[in-house]
Amino acid sequence: MSTIVITAPDDQQGTSTPGKKSRNHARTARRRQTAIRLAVFAAFLILWWGVTAAGLVKPLFLPSPGAVWHAAVQANSCRPVAAGVERLVCGEQNYFMWEHLIASLQRIGVGVGMAIVFGVALGFIMGTIKPINTVIEPYLNFLRSLPPLGYIGLLIVWFGIGDVSKIWLLFLAAFPPIAMATISGVGGIRQARIHAAQSLGASRWQVMTNVILPSSLSEIFSGIRIAVGFAWTTVVAAELNNGIPGIGGLAYISGTQLQTPLTIACIIVIGISAIALDALIKNLGRVLVPWHGKA
Amino acid sequence: MTAVANGPIAGSVPSGRRVVLENISQCYTTDSGDTVHAVSDTSITVESGEFVCIVGPSGCGKSTLMDMLAGFLTPTQGTVTIGGERISGPGQDRGVVFQQPNLYPWLSVRKNVELGLKLRKIPASVRRDEAKRYLEMVGLEQFMDRKPYELSGGMQQRCQIARVLANDPEIILMDEPFGALDALTRERMQVELLQIWRKRKKTVFFITHSVEEAIFLGTRVLVMSARPGRIILDETINISDENGSPLGAELRSAPEFVRLRDKVSTAIYEAQGVTGMSPAQH
Ligand SMILES: Nc1ncnc2c1ncn2[C@@H]1O[C@H](COP(=O)(O)OP(=O)(O)O)[C@@H](O)[C@H]1O
Ligand SMILES: [Mg+2]
């Protein structure tokens, strides 16, 4: 009897400690992971610096980390046109670097934004009306399998060399993955979910807005994530033609003008922006679809 | 607990309609191309206000029968009419409690219960009161603002029941609704259901695998045979004390109850092809 009384609290501790332990364990593991990553990054910088400082590679091919940093700072500030001259020149190619970045992001925003509106709408229609799906699916597949840069020439003929053709390009690039994801989301809904709403008196339209849309939200978000990643690589490449302002355009022009430090700075900005954009959408999805994987 | 709805929302459908299943059959084609004859040439007439319990071996076509009543499935043969009108799909007049909770994870428990009223554009304040009343009835008032996936399976099932009852359907279709509940909650829900049925004159179709539950709840028990399902026993239940009022908890030991239980159980065993075994031993 007394042993039971004594062991009971022990048992409770026994069940609570492993949880705490594993949480601590996870935190240490994460901290160690971060430390390793930082160390490797530092080693990489030192190696880069060492190679350039020792003069192993010409600065034109590989500038030093300091030069790249300097190029980035200069691209975001104003400086005299030449030593001893009053007139200032700001940024690069008449825009600050962040303005170039914003210009590219803006194109993405408009192109992908339109792709979300039309892609989700088409996905809904295709997902719910079988004959329409049968008719349109091959074309959607065809569009999806085209590399967007393959048809940029045609878009330039149609819409000119300016922003309109680039936005069309991004729209066409982002549209298929979003439509496909929506179709798959709509198609994957358990029939009973729809039946439950119908028995509560839902009309066709009410079933759409109250059941089908929220049910497919999670898949739509994965589609948007894929589309944005795809659109980002596409916009940078599309800015080879008349891409100023634009971060891809700046990377390209600076390369052709042998401003290698600026080119490398642009590449770093492009990569970091892509990762940040992806993380943003991922977290947005987590906030808007908190039930994902739970129900 | 005893808050049985006598609420401001009157049924939107005229009551008193008779449900008639006429020679209905249902065949499925499986993915491998076989034909499954789930329900065969079944006719049932149910008057308004009846509480019909359907029992039978698993896989005999009970859920299929329910799907046809709900309007999810069109019978491959025969017709389902309500008040003389052929049904054409699901509708608010037939509330369905599924075997699975089928709640919407993006809505809170309260919003799930309010959903039917919201779809019918009933004012928010009325909706709130109704939802609260039924959530209290099923014992979930403290969990109103939780999300369904934060509840246990049994709680989710009670939430589904509240959602259907709050929508005040004329006919309630329930497919093994209390299967996931513990014995105590189950008994409480049975009593609540009976009270609602009596007060609001509902027609109830109730599938269960518990013979006792069927006899306790029903005014009529239908036994279905193994596939292809058809009705092999149609028993009217009328157990009351000397004064003619229905018995309460002591009902289960009444001689008439025991007699009915044995009769129904025997029919089920025969339906499964098991004979010569006394169901009383089980
Ligand atoms: N969608 C379907 N496709 C093929 N066969 C089905 C389908 N639904 C049910 N069945 C079959 O029909 C029979 C009756 O099923 P069901 O009505 O669910 O039985 P119960 O609810 O009585 O257990 C079963 O044998 C089942 O395998
Ligand atoms: Mg079933």
Side-chain angles (χ1 to χ4, degrees):
Chain A
M1 189 57 184
S2 63
T3 48
I4 293 169
V5 173
I6 290 165
T7 52
D10 273 349
D11 267 351
Q12 272 176 355
Q13 269 183 349
T15 50
S16 71
T17 341
K20 215 182 257 174
K21 225 182 230 167
S22 75
R23 219 175 308 129
N24 275 340
H25 195 79
R27 204 179 302 140
T28 352
R30 220 175 306 128
R31 225 176 268 157
R32 188 184 308 154
Q33 203 180 28
T34 313
I36 291 173
R37 280 182 177 167
L38 284 175
V40 170
F41 182 63
F44 169 75
L45 279 182
I46 290 167
L47 184 70
W48 177 7
W49 175 82
V51 166
T52 51
L56 294 176
V57 186
K58 270 200 213 165
L60 174 62
F61 296 125
L62 183 63
S64 70
V68 171
W69 175 251
H70 179 72
V73 170
Q74 188 172 294
N76 283 299
S77 55
C78 293
R79 60 191 183 279
V81 172
V85 182
E86 278 291 297
R87 211 156 62 81
L88 288 178
V89 63
C90 287
E92 296 285 350
Q93 308 292 336
N94 299 321
Y95 296 93
F96 290 121
M97 193 193 231
W98 59 265
E99 288 175 319
H100 286 287
L101 180 62
I102 296 277
S104 298
L105 287 173
Q106 241 165 19
R107 292 185 183 117
I108 296 253
V110 177
V112 176
M114 285 185 354
I116 291 172
V117 172
F118 288 98
V120 170
L122 182 72
F124 249 88
I125 294 169
M126 287 175 69
T128 44
I129 307 170
K130 198 76 190 216
I132 293 186
N133 191 33
T134 315
V135 171
I136 296 182
E137 200 195 49
Y139 299 95
L140 195 62
N141 261 326
F142 180 76
L143 181 62
R144 187 182 60 150
S145 47
L146 286 179
L149 295 172
Y151 50 78
I152 179 71
L154 186 61
L155 293 176
I156 290 174
V157 171
W158 286 351
F159 303 109
I161 191 99
D163 257 6
V164 178
S165 61
K166 290 191 184 63
I167 286 168
W168 267 101
L169 182 78
L170 291 175
F171 170 73
L172 292 173
F175 180 78
I178 295 175
M180 297 286 210
T182 309
I183 293 170
S184 127
V186 170
I189 298 173
R190 272 189 308 116
Q191 203 61 37
R193 260 195 188 171
I194 294 170
H195 284 162
Q198 287 174 330
S199 304
L200 290 171
S203 65
R204 262 182 97 90
W205 177 251
Q206 285 175 325
V207 169
M208 278 276 206
T209 53
N210 286 277
V211 182
I212 298 179
L213 184 64
S215 287
S216 39
L217 217 50
S218 169
E219 293 231 27
I220 291 175
F221 257 99
S222 334
I224 292 175
R225 226 177 125 193
I226 292 168
V228 168
F230 193 36
W232 186 243
T233 54
T234 304
V235 75
V236 166
E239 283 168 358
L240 297 188
N241 291 303
N242 196 31
I244 299 297
I247 193 75
L250 184 63
Y252 178 66
I253 297 248
S254 60
T256 59
Q257 297 176 350
L258 304 183
Q259 291 175 277
T260 336
L262 182 57
T263 309
I264 292 181
C266 284
I267 292 169
I268 293 171
V269 168
I270 289 167
I272 291 175
S273 309
I275 292 170
L277 211 54
D278 190 58
L280 180 80
I281 296 166
K282 196 168 140 191
N283 285 317
L284 199 63
R286 214 176 277 161
V287 170
L288 292 179
V289 192
W291 62 88
H292 180 65
K294 292 176 193 153
Chain B
M1 265 282 283
T2 48
V4 167
N6 234 337
I9 303 159
S12 56
V13 185
S15 56
R17 299 191 302 165
R18 169 193 284 172
V19 179
V20 180
L21 307 173
E22 218 173 343
N23 303 103
I24 55 167
S25 298
Q26 183 67 50
C27 292
Y28 292 110
T29 309
T30 62
D31 291 343
S32 52
D34 303 333
T35 304
V36 177
H37 217 108
V39 172
S40 173
D41 199 26
T42 295
S43 298
I44 311 168
T45 300
V46 174
E47 301 298 334
S48 167
E50 278 194 85
F51 197 126
V52 181
C53 291
I54 302 167
V55 290
S58 111
C60 71
K62 303 183 295 293
S63 297
T64 303
L65 194 70
M66 195 74 103
D67 282 354
M68 289 188 282
L69 273 167
F72 304 147
L73 262 181
T74 313
T76 36
Q77 268 169 39
T79 56
V80 181
T81 58
I82 297 179
E85 256 179 80
R86 257 180 103 142
I87 60 162
S88 59
Q92 186 273 330
D93 57 332
R94 281 152 291 143
V96 181
V97 176
F98 298 84
Q99 245 171 314
Q100 257 70 51
N102 276 326
L103 300 171
Y104 299 118
W106 50 89
L107 299 177
S108 67
V109 165
R110 182 171 61 75
K111 288 256 168 76
N112 263 286
V113 175
E114 281 183 20
L115 184 62
L117 304 174
K118 188 176 164 219
L119 294 173
R120 284 153 59 205
K121 315 236 154 41
I122 284 162
S125 57
V126 181
R127 268 179 0 225
R128 273 192 93 91
D129 291 348
E130 286 296 281
K132 197 156 167 273
R133 181 209 302 272
Y134 283 97
L135 281 168
E136 268 167 20
M137 192 199 89
V138 299
L140 287 179
E141 67 275 20
Q142 295 145 20
F143 302 95
M144 284 207 295
D145 297 316
R146 293 275 182 87
K147 288 293 172 62
Y149 50 83
E150 293 163 340
L151 305 186
S152 74
M155 289 156 89
Q156 291 181 26
Q157 187 60 354
R158 282 185 273 153
C159 178
Q160 186 195 197
I161 292 167
R163 178 168 77 179
V164 170
L165 294 179
N167 202 34
D168 195 31
E170 175 192 355
I171 298 162
I172 305 176
L173 310 172
M174 305 178 100
D175 193 347
E176 300 190 19
F178 303 154
L181 305 181
D182 62 276
L184 209 67
T185 314
R186 190 185 178 115
E187 272 179 31
R188 216 185 74 195
M189 299 294 294
Q190 289 173 347
V191 171
E192 298 286 359
L193 180 62
L194 277 181
Q195 286 196 29
I196 288 180
W197 167 70
R198 288 205 190 101
K199 284 209 175 177
R200 315 208 62 179
K201 314 259 182 289
K202 307 284 185 195
T203 308
V204 180
F205 287 82
F206 189 102
I207 293 177
T208 173
H209 52 248
S210 159
V211 175
E212 292 210 353
E213 186 171 61
I215 296 168
F216 176 68
L217 290 174
T219 57
R220 188 171 163 194
V221 175
L222 304 178
V223 179
M224 274 180 92
S225 69
R227 233 175 52 219
R230 53 159 65 91
I231 309 296
I232 53 164
L233 181 71
D234 183 344
E235 191 74 19
T236 302
I237 310 291
N238 196 357
I239 310 175
S240 48
D241 61 19
E242 306 86 73
N243 308 321
S245 66
L247 288 169
E250 68 274 25
L251 175 136
R252 286 188 165 89
S253 53
E256 175 68 356
F257 184 90
V258 175
R259 189 189 69 80
L260 284 165
R261 193 188 61 199
D262 288 353
K263 187 172 180 187
V264 170
S265 300
T266 309
I268 295 172
Y269 276 92
E270 277 164 8
Q272 281 172 310
V274 185
T275 44
M277 207 189 331
S278 164
Q281 287 167 4
H282 292 260

